[in-house]
């Protein structure tokens, strides 16, 4: 009986070691995944200036707050409000926002012939 008890204790200790190894391996994997994800994120930096929203027109940034909050002012209505910087995109003067106007229909006959 004592021999079987000792054997059972050894099995439990081995099981505990396997669990600890799996936990450590899982933690390492999660850390590597997070490091890769964080490396691939590109943060956009906004400063006080002109912005464009595809729904309502250009805006001007009046203030930049911590954690990605911006205060913007509409050029048309002169209203100011706070938004998250992920909801905005940069405004480039003279660049058309709608690329569909420049789209052309092509057929296979329009392609150059390769000899």
């Amino acid at each position: 009986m004592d021999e079987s008890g000792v054997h059972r204790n050894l099995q439990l200790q081995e099981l505990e070691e396997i669990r600890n190894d799996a936990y450590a391996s899982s933690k390492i994997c999660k850390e590597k995944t997070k490091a890769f994800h964080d490396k691939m994120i590109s943060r956009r930096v906004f400063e006080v200036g002109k912005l464009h929203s595809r729904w309502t027109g250009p805006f001007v940034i009046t203030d930049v707050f911590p954690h990605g909050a911006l205060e913007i002012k509409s050029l048309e209505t002169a209203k100011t409000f706070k938004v998250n910087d992920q909801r905005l995109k940069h405004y480039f003067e003279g660049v058309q926002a709608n690329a569909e106007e420049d789209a052309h229909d092509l057929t296979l006959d329009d392609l150059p012939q390769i000899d």
Side-chain angles (χ1 to χ4, degrees), residues 39-110:
K39 183 175 76 172
M40 300 308 275
I41 293 176
S42 61
R43 294 289 301 169
R44 292 182 286 175
V45 177
F46 287 97
E47 299 170 359
V48 174
K50 197 174 192 183
L51 293 174
H52 178 71
S53 169
R54 67 181 200 189
W55 296 283
T56 57
F59 294 93
V60 174
I61 298 177
T62 57
D63 203 358
V64 179
F65 299 102
H67 306 294
L70 302 172
E71 184 176 271
I72 60 175
K73 178 180 178 181
S74 173
L75 294 177
E76 296 174 359
T77 62
K79 291 183 180 179
T80 61
F81 49 96
K82 287 185 184 178
V83 295
N84 190 317
D85 66 352
Q86 295 177 0
R87 309 285 289 162
L88 302 173
K89 61 182 178 179
H90 288 281
Y91 176 78
F92 298 105
E93 194 87 30
V95 177
Q96 290 182 351
N98 190 359
E100 292 176 7
E101 295 173 1
D102 296 332
H104 300 287
D105 291 333
L106 293 176
T107 64
L108 292 176
D109 296 334
D110 296 336

